Amino acid sequence: MLLIPCPYCGERDETEFSYGGEAHIERPKEPDKLSDAEWADYVFMRPNSKGVLLERWVHSHGCRRWFNVARDTLTYKIHAVYKMGEKRPRVPKTDYV
Amino acid sequence: MAQTFRLPEGGQIDRAQSLGFSFDGGRYRGYGGDSLASALLANGIHFVGRSFKYHRPRGIFAAGFEEPNALVQLGEDPRTDPNQLATLVELVEGLAARSQNRWPSLDYDIGALNNLASRAFPSGFYYKTFMWPATMWMKYEHFIRHAAGMGQSPRERDPDRYDKTQAHCDVLVVGAGPAGLAAALAAARSGARVVLAEQDHLLGGALLGEAEATIGGAPALDWARAAEAELRSLPEVRVLGRTTVYGYFDHNFLTLIEKVTDHLNRKPEHLPRHRLWKLRAKQVVLATGSIERPLVFRDNDRPGIMLAGACRTYVNRYAVKPGTTAVVFTNNDSAYGAALDMQAAGIEIAAIVDLRREVIGPMSEAAEAAGLPILADHAIVATEGGRRIKRVRAAPMDPSGGQVYVSGEPIDCDLLAVSGGWSPTLHLHSQAKGEIAWNEELGCFVPGEARQAAHSAGACNAAFGLASCLAEGATAGQKAAAAAGFKAKGRKKAAPKAADHGFLPARWLWLVPSDTPLGHGGKHFHELQNDVTAADLQLALREGYRSIEHVKRYTTTGMGTDQGKTSNVNAIGIVAEATGRAVPEVGVTTFRPPFTPVTFGVFAGRDVDELLDPVRRTPMHGWHQQAGALFEDVGQWRRAWYYPRAGEDMHAAVTREVREVRRSLGIMDASTLGKIDIQGSDASELLNRIYTNAWKKLEVGRCRYGLMLGEDGMVMDDGVTARLGENHYLMTTTTGNAAPVLAHLEEYIQTEWPEFDVYCTSVTEQFATISIAGPNARRLLAELTSDIELSPNDFPHMAVRDGTVAGVPARVFRVSFTGEAAYEINVPSSFGLAVWQATMTAGEKYGITPYGTEAMHVLRAEKGFIIVGQETDGSINPIDLGMDWIVSKKKDFVGKRSLTRSDMAKPDRKQLVGILTDDPAVVLPEGAHLVERVEPQPPMAMLGHVSSSYYSPNVGRSIALALVKGGLAKKGQKLTAPLLDGRKIGCTVVDPVFFDPEGDRLRG
Ligand SMILES: [Zn+2]
């Protein structure tokens, strides 16, 4: 079970949080101008990457705030947490194959 | 019966405490401090079970958690546990144990015929069986399940109590052998909060089984006791005995099971039987020791064949002689230590058969000096004995190494002590995703880099000498404490002096040759619990399996309750040898939690019965109960389902309730509907983006029905939202979606539109909601309020008014889910019951009828109103429901773009329709499939399914809603519902509104 450092509350068990998938996917401003494929890419397609992923979590059973986490999907190491709207942190490059 | 095999003195047992116990009905005695296994051996009992597949007699094999054979059933229903390791069960007065996997008895076992017919159970038997037609499996299942007797679960409810607890520490030390104790001491002396967990009830680990070990010139156990005393005296240290760390999960989260009362004769009321610890440790020191491996030779499974280290433990720790005349069979130096200890205990050592070409090593040389008979470069090629070993044959190895050409000399014995080397206990390191490396010299897998904040120390880190264990433990404890922020205080204490020899030199020979070819007469078992032989492995390889993970699944090696603790390395070695690969190329199979079996009870803990899940009750719940309501669960809510009167069944009660609502007046408890208070200058904009329809022009004091989609365009929730003020709304959600809808709003507000000035607050439980519906609803409300104008002009359908109802401040919504004129009276929860009662009293003259969720469902279905989750399933969009009237073409909203994806325009999407059966008396079952063409038997092309179906007294016939492919274009078409009972029900697709399609009653 992950130990997630909520930027508002501190370290809490994973069971207090809900997962929100990849971060920094902005809802298109004018969806009507997108092709089906572009819209489907926004709604459905995610990279499922191996390595550091910037992802969203919400502290559902705590402060109920959304925030971002830089987490290695192989080692589960959390490199950084940052609030919504804050700049992406520098994260180590991984060279997993 | 006397304990004939008990030594007159010694051991970590309490001879003053004589304990009676039974095994398979026989009555025996043992001592305090005994395990069930040691007590059985003290009484001369080796034969304790039959093997899984061939039902061969099996005996106690080990002395610890690695035991593959001695699985017993403990106790009587309901306090009975299957698959308990006799080696770990502490003896208590009155303990009753039974052998498993035998029928009708251990001595006369019908399944033993499997042994004679063993060709019926080749490797992959289960795979091949499953690949037969299913009908064959049905025939064999009973036989196989009966024969594969892995004990019996209790039939009655478990009367014991289990508990869970959370804990945090700076350093968790797993294992209290020399390395673990040294680590715990070092960490604790630095001031760290330490938890030391040991599965045994005594601390000391391997030291408990050794006679001669010394630390600092004194007996090693004295050092262990002093260490324990110091640890127990420190306030920041928690020593958990009888506690197994069985799981090592992400971010140093570990799970422990503590056996709290199993060993107590009288079990105090206030204590749980077992306790689950959920522990988060900043640092972990793994000091889990090592497991001795057997040798894989012909017929190596008879009772009386034991691991050499286990024999040593029984002699030294339990003062038990596991035999009278022993043969020792080894490939390394450590078994000589066991031989010396056994000899000192009065066991005759008939021979030490050593696979190694030369007898070298400190223990070997000591044994040689003591004059023990040694046969170097020899192998045991055969064993004899039914329920106990009685003879072995030892033969010289061919100079090439891999063969034996002579049948050898017979040697009589009643004990064969075997050592095939030692494997570090890597389970937790590996569960924590740590790397594993092969050490060619030590012939074992060793821990590589740890992936979490963990340090392996001692034998589990391939440090097999005592001095190394102590030094590594101390270093690991100090490092762990330092990493957790605690610097060592004062001068570093020098590690106490101790001998430092491991088990080398050794000769690694994974499969011991016999004088007959493999598989011809006799069996070379490498896996005792699941009865897997070396020949089975080779068969799997011949049949094309290469990956060790596939070989494992095909042969079931390592898949028993012991997870192959004694067998995995041998299996990998045999596969490597047979395929000409190096061991690291073959790789290692995955270690999974739990390390040893865990009682189901601890996972439940106290979360049983009324504590399983919270029950949510409305303020009027007690009234419903007194009125005789039956309840249904809607999420965690308990809602009144229907209110049967004397003599009424469900159908009669629901029919009456439905009729009465339309005839005069009904009252329903709608408090469970989700209620979200939304405020802020962007509240209107939020609703506009979240709902499919437009919200900005809604007047204050009016309500609107809204449909909420996911970004995929599928219906997520619906409900009525009222505008209470310029910047103030009250949103209602379906009962089950109150929390998800709030989360949905918060997600969009926080992540997509952070510039919004808007706040959402759940007020579901702050208000009680009383819904009154029917032609007399307005008249009734008029009697309860004096400050709300009720004329249809002043208070039209879809409006909201604040005022006083029954003397209580109230907010009244004129909304309807029944198609009748209806009011939802919201009052603060604490007034809910009082207002309900006042409403009931005032409504008597109208024959006011309380109705439950079932009548509500019928009433709304008569009107063709959907229920989210019943007419929708996450794959239904508003157009499918014929609700395009509520979808704005102008503004953007969540899910809008998805509605114009090409897939959404497909004509064969499932769409909502009404269904009328040809026979109006027939009520289709919900879930019934609808087809266009009936085939004599399934499969048939399915067009859709019935989502709601009721008898409607107001329509005077059965009605149903269904989702049918292309349904909107199929109105008037005939379909058939073929039912499970063989009936084929003809029906017609119709519009889904069955009652008052113009909605006149609503506005009255
Ligand atoms: Zn938080």
Side-chain angles (χ1 to χ4, degrees):
Chain A
M1 179 162 53
L2 305 182
L3 185 66
I4 300 172
C6 169
Y8 303 94
C9 307
E11 290 183 336
R12 296 289 188 279
D13 279 348
E14 183 183 346
T15 46
E16 293 187 12
F17 298 83
S18 308
Y19 188 57
E22 195 188 344
H24 303 292
I25 297 179
E26 206 175 328
R27 188 169 189 275
K29 290 276 178 290
E30 294 179 290
D32 287 341
K33 297 205 170 148
L34 301 185
S35 68
D36 273 11
E38 286 165 334
W39 178 253
D41 188 56
Y42 159 67
V43 179
F44 301 114
M45 305 308 283
R46 299 293 181 268
N48 191 26
S49 52
K50 187 177 183 180
V52 178
L53 177 70
L54 305 180
E55 60 190 20
R56 308 183 312 154
W57 288 82
V58 58
H59 196 181
S60 309
H61 301 286
C63 62
R64 292 190 71 83
R65 301 292 294 269
W66 282 88
F67 57 93
N68 291 322
V69 177
R71 185 179 64 98
D72 190 312
T73 57
L74 182 68
T75 64
Y76 291 2
K77 183 178 164 60
I78 291 176
H79 292 281
V81 294
Y82 55 109
K83 296 175 182 174
M84 281 292 153
E86 288 183 348
K87 274 211 325 225
R88 296 168 193 234
R90 267 178 217 279
V91 292
K93 283 233 185 319
T94 45
D95 52 356
Y96 304 131
V97 279
Chain B
M1 194 201 245
Q3 300 177 43
T4 358
F5 291 85
R6 185 76 69 178
L7 294 168
E9 56 188 28
Q12 310 292 313
I13 50 169
D14 178 6
R15 289 168 200 261
Q17 209 189 338
S18 172
L19 302 172
F21 70 101
S22 71
F23 178 71
D24 277 348
R27 306 204 155 272
Y28 307 96
R29 301 205 77 81
Y31 290 129
D34 260 331
S35 68
L36 173 60
S38 70
L40 286 167
L41 291 174
N43 289 281
I45 297 169
H46 277 253
F47 174 32
V48 291
R50 286 193 179 259
S51 72
F52 184 63
K53 227 159 49 176
Y54 305 117
H55 288 236
R56 285 163 71 110
R58 289 281 165 81
I60 295 161
F61 187 69
F65 52 69
E66 70 274 34
E67 173 63 44
N69 288 340
L71 303 182
V72 296
Q73 180 100 25
L74 286 187
E76 297 297 331
D77 212 353
R79 280 197 169 87
T80 186
D81 290 296
N83 301 322
Q84 298 298 297
L85 298 181
T87 50
L88 295 187
V89 172
E90 279 182 62
L91 199 65
V92 285
E93 177 62 38
L95 184 96
R98 280 171 292 143
S99 56
Q100 298 182 165
N101 203 27
R102 50 33 174 197
W103 184 78
S105 78
L106 193 56
D107 279 337
Y108 303 97
D109 175 71
I110 286 173
L113 293 173
N114 290 351
N115 191 26
L116 303 176
S118 67
R119 290 192 187 278
F121 285 88
S123 176
F125 170 75
Y126 290 93
Y127 272 23
K128 287 164 182 164
T129 307
F130 280 121
M131 285 165 71
W132 292 344
T135 47
M136 291 292 278
W137 172 243
M138 303 298 262
K139 275 184 192 146
Y140 281 90
E141 184 188 9
H142 175 75
F143 167 72
I144 289 170
R145 292 211 188 283
H146 190 71
M150 294 303 285
Q152 285 170 342
S153 56
R155 284 166 202 278
E156 289 168 46
R157 189 194 161 103
D158 189 338
D160 285 317
R161 201 156 53 78
Y162 300 85
D163 212 349
K164 295 183 212 179
T165 190
Q166 308 263 354
H168 298 259
C169 67
D170 296 312
V171 180
L172 167 69
V173 179
V174 186
L181 286 170
L185 279 176
R189 285 170 183 163
S190 308
R193 288 175 307 160
V194 174
V195 171
L196 172 62
E198 167 56 54
Q199 54 91 21
D200 206 332
H201 65 281
L202 295 178
L203 307 193
L207 300 177
L208 294 163
E210 285 175 24
E212 301 299 325
T214 59
I215 296 177
L221 274 180
D222 291 355
W223 174 85
R225 281 188 192 123
E228 180 177 356
E230 181 179 344
L231 289 167
R232 288 194 190 274
S233 74
L234 294 171
E236 297 291 356
V237 177
R238 189 198 292 273
V239 179
L240 290 173
R242 301 184 173 91
T243 302
T244 305
V245 181
Y246 70 82
Y248 193 149
F249 304 93
D250 302 318
H251 293 187
N252 268 10
F253 180 77
L254 298 100
T255 48
L256 292 60
I257 178 173
E258 180 186 9
K259 302 201 166 167
V260 183
T261 62
D262 281 354
H263 65 289
L264 297 176
N265 223 343
R266 284 225 178 99
K267 303 181 196 306
E269 270 294 304
H270 69 284
L271 289 178
R273 181 180 175 221
H274 296 165
R275 184 182 284 133
L276 173 65
W277 288 80
K278 301 181 184 184
L279 184 81
R280 185 79 72 171
K282 283 189 186 148
Q283 297 281 318
V284 173
V285 175
L286 297 172
T288 49
S290 59
I291 298 169
E292 192 169 20
R293 295 194 300 262
L295 288 163
V296 182
F297 56 101
R298 182 172 153 189
D299 291 331
N300 55 344
D301 67 327
R302 302 185 193 281
I305 301 181
M306 301 174 73
L307 292 170
C311 295
R312 200 175 190 188
T313 297
Y314 285 117
V315 166
N316 295 325
R317 174 173 176 174
Y318 298 106
V320 166
K321 286 199 295 183
T324 311
T325 307
V327 170
V328 176
F329 186 23
T330 187
N331 65 359
N332 69 80
D333 184 55
S334 72
Y336 286 82
L340 286 166
D341 284 0
M342 284 195 282
Q343 192 201 29
I347 300 173
E348 184 202 341
I349 305 297
I352 300 176
V353 182
D354 195 334
L355 285 166
R356 300 178 300 171
R357 292 195 173 94
E358 285 171 274
V359 178
I360 37 174
M363 300 315 286
S364 310
E365 285 150 24
E368 205 166 28
L372 294 184
I374 299 170
L375 294 169
D377 207 12
H378 271 61
I380 288 184
V381 295
T383 67
E384 289 172 43
R387 287 164 201 165
R388 181 77 181 263
I389 191 163
K390 57 183 184 193
R391 194 169 299 117
V392 301
R393 274 195 285 116
M397 302 274 287
D398 174 77
S400 72
Q403 303 291 327
V404 172
Y405 291 111
V406 293
S407 56
E409 291 301 314
I411 308 169
D412 287 349
C413 63
D414 62 357
L415 176 66
L416 175 54
V418 180
S419 180
W422 295 79
S423 304
T425 311
L426 300 171
H427 300 63
L428 294 176
H429 168 81
S430 170
Q431 283 182 27
K433 305 282 182 281
E435 285 173 10
I436 286 175
W438 175 252
N439 183 311
E440 189 67 39
E441 191 193 5
L442 291 166
C444 60
F445 289 101
V446 298
E449 198 186 329
R451 275 275 165 74
Q452 301 201 30
H455 317 255
S456 288
C460 75
N461 195 36
F464 289 101
L466 180 53
S468 303
C469 284
L470 293 169
E472 275 201 4
T475 306
Q478 220 161 60
K479 263 196 198 164
F486 296 86
K487 290 274 167 283
K489 291 173 193 155
R491 225 156 41 84
K492 192 184 164 189
K493 272 198 176 182
K497 277 206 159 36
D500 200 29
H501 49 79
F503 57 83
L504 292 180
R507 179 185 190 186
W508 305 123
L509 205 59
W510 301 111
L511 183 54
V512 177
S514 174
D515 52 339
T516 55
L518 190 64
H520 290 250
K523 287 181 165 54
H524 288 61
F525 286 99
H526 77 275
E527 215 272 27
L528 291 169
Q529 192 174 89
N530 270 354
D531 257 3
V532 192
T533 64
D536 288 332
L537 292 175
Q538 296 190 350
L539 177 65
L541 295 171
R542 277 203 304 280
E543 294 194 358
Y545 292 89
R546 300 285 291 177
S547 156
I548 190 67
E549 291 284 0
H550 293 158
V551 170
K552 168 178 165 176
R553 281 154 184 76
Y554 192 63
T555 61
T556 73
T557 183
M559 291 175 72
T561 59
D562 65 346
Q563 292 192 47
K565 289 193 175 66
T566 55
S567 66
N568 281 342
V569 175
N570 282 337
I572 293 164
I574 290 168
V575 168
E577 231 162 41
T579 55
R581 288 180 287 178
V583 170
E585 266 179 78
V586 175
V588 61
T589 56
T590 315
F591 295 92
R592 290 194 178 86
F595 173 70
T596 43
V598 173
T599 330
F600 273 114
V602 289
F603 297 121
R606 296 186 186 201
D607 306 333
V608 292
D609 297 329
E610 65 272 20
L611 298 181
L612 174 65
D613 201 29
V615 173
R616 302 171 79 184
R617 299 180 182 90
T618 73
M620 293 83 95
H621 186 86
W623 189 95
H624 305 317
Q625 273 182 316
Q626 282 192 345
L630 292 162
F631 291 87
E632 76 168 329
D633 291 335
V634 183
Q636 292 168 332
W637 285 106
R638 199 142 288 169
R639 298 195 70 179
W641 191 16
Y642 59 97
Y643 300 77
R645 290 183 178 164
E648 279 185 340
D649 61 5
M650 179 175 177
H651 177 75
V654 172
T655 299
R656 173 179 50 75
E657 290 172 17
V658 165
R659 265 206 192 107
E660 284 302 306
V661 172
R662 298 233 188 270
R663 188 190 66 79
S664 174
L665 185 59
I667 179 170
M668 191 188 68
D669 183 351
S671 306
T672 64
L673 283 184
K675 300 181 259 307
I676 301 170
D677 185 279
I678 301 173
Q679 300 193 39
S681 56
D682 288 308
S684 302
E685 181 62 27
L686 173 70
L687 296 177
N688 223 35
R689 294 194 195 181
I690 288 290
Y691 279 130
T692 59
N693 47 350
W695 286 79
K696 290 195 160 170
K697 288 183 184 154
L698 184 67
E699 290 166 38
V700 173
R702 299 304 299 258
C703 313
R704 188 163 281 173
Y705 173 78
L707 206 52
M708 200 180 284
L709 310 185
E711 203 68 276
D712 60 1
M714 303 307 172
V715 173
M716 180 189 154
D717 201 55
D718 69 347
V720 169
T721 294
R723 189 164 198 175
L724 304 176
E726 178 61 25
N727 296 323
H728 189 187
Y729 290 84
L730 188 81
M731 174 187 279
T732 61
T733 73
T734 56
T735 296
N737 271 340
V741 167
L742 179 64
H744 181 68
L745 299 178
E746 287 177 328
E747 177 179 350
Y748 274 90
I749 293 168
Q750 291 183 36
T751 68
E752 294 295 347
W753 310 312
E755 70 280 7
F756 271 15
D757 167 41
V758 64
Y759 303 89
C760 302
T761 308
S762 165
V763 292
T764 303
E765 289 174 341
Q766 276 64 31
F767 293 98
T769 306
I770 299 161
S771 174
I772 52 172
N776 284 313
R778 177 146 61 96
R779 266 180 224 118
L780 173 67
L781 186 57
E783 292 176 35
L784 294 168
T785 180
S786 55
D787 57 359
I788 302 177
E789 287 296 328
L790 295 177
S791 74
N793 277 340
D794 288 317
F795 194 175
H797 180 57
M798 297 307 267
V800 57
R801 297 288 180 265
D802 283 351
T804 310
V805 174
V808 167
R811 180 174 288 147
V812 182
F813 296 84
R814 188 167 170 196
V815 293
S816 175
F817 196 38
T818 57
E820 296 299 317
Y823 300 88
E824 287 185 358
I825 305 163
N826 286 267
V827 296
S829 287
S830 51
F831 293 118
L833 180 58
V835 175
W836 177 278
Q837 283 168 327
T839 310
M840 283 301 297
T841 308
E844 261 171 39
K845 58 177 108 34
Y846 306 110
I848 189 168
T849 301
Y851 66 100
T853 50
E854 188 64 20
M856 176 191 79
H857 282 196
V858 177
L859 288 159
R860 64 88 203 178
E862 290 175 344
K863 290 291 294 177
F865 295 153
I866 60 154
I867 287 185
V868 169
Q870 188 154 343
E871 271 67 54
T872 70
D873 58 4
S875 71
I876 301 295
N877 69 38
I879 299 137
D880 301 333
L881 296 171
M883 292 173 81
D884 27 356
W885 52 270
I886 202 176
V887 178
S888 167
K889 301 277 180 294
K890 292 180 201 143
K891 56 146 197 171
D892 186 30
F893 55 84
V894 171
K896 185 185 187 193
R897 177 62 185 83
S898 287
L899 296 179
T900 53
R901 287 174 58 227
S902 56
D903 221 51
M904 298 295 200
K906 281 190 178 162
D908 66 342
R909 289 187 60 81
K910 284 191 180 174
Q911 294 159 337
L912 180 72
V913 295
I915 294 286
L916 292 178
T917 49
D918 295 348
D919 178 350
V922 172
V923 181
L924 289 168
E926 287 175 357
H929 285 194
L930 296 166
V931 302
E932 216 154 22
R933 228 182 54 217
V934 181
E935 308 287 349
Q937 61 183 40
M940 295 174 230
M942 175 221 187
L943 270 188
H945 70 277
V946 174
S947 56
S948 294
S949 178
Y950 312 95
Y951 180 77
S952 161
N954 295 309
V955 184
R957 55 158 301 136
S958 70
I959 57 170
L961 299 174
L963 291 157
V964 172
K965 281 184 188 167
L968 294 175
K970 285 197 163 62
K971 303 262 168 83
Q973 201 175 312
K974 291 275 181 195
L975 296 179
T976 305
L979 301 186
L980 280 175
D981 60 14
R983 283 184 297 159
K984 295 175 176 61
I985 311 296
C987 47
T988 308
V989 178
V990 297
D991 194 78
V993 184
F994 301 98
F995 186 79
D996 185 27
E998 277 71 45
D1000 296 334
R1001 304 172 68 93
L1002 201 64
R1003 290 174 185 83

